Amino acid sequence: MNKLRQLIPILVLLLVTSCNAHKKYSDFDYSYSRSGGFAPIYENFLIKGTDAHYSFEGQGRKVRKDYKLSAAEIQVLEDALAASNFRMIQEDRKKLYDNITTSIVVKKGANAASKSDASFIMPADQHRWNQVVKAFEALIASKTNGTVAR
């Protein structure tokens, strides 16, 4: 019984730390991710406030970095989302397999929505989707010094 009392604080500590470990990956304002393909890649760019977390795994490389973003950099994303009317972009319903898919999730602002090209984007909205993707990719390239292949 005495050993059990000694283990309880350790178990509580483990539980608390394991719950906080995934917070970086679930609490964000903007998310850009690419994954899949025949030689799978996994790329994530998560933004919360002015903090950004980038990870890339694939092509024999692993990259994990944290960055600070300026208000101007975040405004560029917001402007691209607004100009493209991101919330109104329509996804197609056709299923695609073994394709690298891009997903963008916006949890704040007037363009809050979740969109993915996993089943393509409707042809009428493809240009607007490309503009939003380019804004995220330009920000990623500026933070990673263009070291991640596209």
Side-chain angles (χ1 to χ4, degrees):
M1 188 63 141
N2 197 18
K3 286 187 178 189
L4 182 59
R5 285 186 181 164
Q6 291 174 345
L7 284 177
I8 288 176
I10 293 171
L11 292 174
V12 169
L13 181 64
L14 285 173
L15 180 65
V16 169
T17 57
S18 67
C19 290
N20 286 334
H22 296 286
K23 190 171 187 167
K24 180 186 287 188
Y25 304 104
S26 63
D27 185 24
F28 56 84
D29 298 330
Y30 307 93
S31 166
Y32 168 93
S33 64
R34 287 185 339 138
S35 62
F38 290 113
I41 60 132
Y42 305 94
E43 181 178 31
N44 293 292
F45 189 60
L46 309 172
I47 302 168
K48 176 67 177 177
T50 59
D51 296 323
H53 175 74
Y54 177 79
S55 64
F56 179 88
E57 186 175 336
Q59 304 168 343
R61 294 181 293 160
K62 268 188 177 180
V63 177
R64 289 193 187 329
K65 296 207 177 193
D66 292 316
Y67 302 98
K68 281 287 190 191
L69 301 178
S70 68
E73 289 171 320
I74 293 171
Q75 191 59 49
V76 167
L77 284 181
E78 273 296 324
D79 292 346
L81 292 166
S84 297
N85 199 7
F86 178 73
R87 197 168 63 93
M88 300 308 290
I89 292 174
Q90 292 184 354
E91 300 165 84
D92 201 339
R93 300 291 177 228
K94 297 174 186 169
K95 296 294 178 200
L96 256 167
Y97 301 96
D98 294 329
N99 191 31
I100 295 177
T101 62
T102 303
S103 298
I104 297 173
V105 179
V106 177
K107 291 187 175 180
K108 94 180 231 189
N111 282 295
S114 176
K115 305 291 178 182
S116 173
D117 67 356
S119 297
F120 287 124
I121 298 294
M122 293 300 277
D125 295 332
Q126 188 65 50
H127 177 72
R128 295 184 305 149
W129 169 258
N130 291 344
Q131 295 305 103
V132 173
V133 170
K134 284 179 187 176
F136 275 94
E137 289 178 347
L139 183 55
I140 291 168
S142 75
K143 292 299 177 185
T144 61
N145 297 321
T147 58
V148 178
R150 296 257 160 238

